[in-house]
Amino acid sequence: QVQLGEAGGGLVQAGNSLRLSCAAPGRNFSGYAMGWFRQAPGKERDGVAAIAWIGGITYCVDSVKGRLTISRDNAKNTVYLQMNSLKPEDTAVYSCAAALGPPTRYTTRYEYWGQGTQVTVSS
């Protein structure tokens, strides 16, 4: 089973930034869209952003537009989530996932998942 590995989470104060990364060592995700999801305590897992394999096509939920940016480096098989101006409501476990085809927010489309990294934003 292919496993994705997230890194970069932590505890930060509101207004600060974090950059999450997601990699799959030894695995080439050619043709796969990559997505970032988050799950806050007691809530459903929600799609945050997703990016196509090529072409720069991205998806981003309205609540994070302008603050969170997804990008990928296909040469490194790595996807990033740059998070700026963090708010306490951004506190969640952030997971990355891979889906064959176009980027989407729907979790059922994603075939491979990481275990997640905790992001905690204090007020």
Side-chain angles (χ1 to χ4, degrees):
Q1 179 72 21
V2 174
Q3 191 73 22
L4 300 171
E6 300 94 341
L11 171 64
V12 295
Q13 288 188 324
N16 285 349
S17 300
L18 280 175
R19 188 175 81 153
L20 306 183
S21 63
C22 170
R27 179 67 161 87
N28 187 331
F29 279 99
S30 298
Y32 280 75
M34 301 295 293
W36 281 100
F37 297 80
R38 66 184 182 185
Q39 186 169 20
K43 295 188 177 181
E44 298 280 328
R45 182 161 57 187
D46 286 331
V48 174
I51 187 167
W53 162 241
I54 59 172
I57 298 171
T58 61
Y59 162 83
C60 194
V61 295
D62 289 342
S63 61
V64 303
K65 282 182 180 177
R67 299 190 300 115
L68 275 60
T69 304
I70 188 171
S71 62
R72 68 189 295 169
D73 184 337
N74 291 335
K76 296 180 179 180
N77 291 323
T78 302
V79 62
Y80 304 96
L81 185 67
Q82 178 67 42
M83 304 190 293
N84 299 327
S85 302
L86 283 164
K87 303 176 181 180
E89 51 263 43
D90 294 319
T91 295
V93 175
Y94 285 72
S95 302
C96 65
L100 192 61
T104 176
R105 66 176 296 184
Y106 299 107
T107 59
T108 53
R109 283 278 322 284
Y110 287 83
E111 184 177 356
Y112 302 104
W113 288 85
Q115 292 189 331
T117 184
Q118 177 69 47
V119 172
T120 303
V121 185
S122 63
S123 59

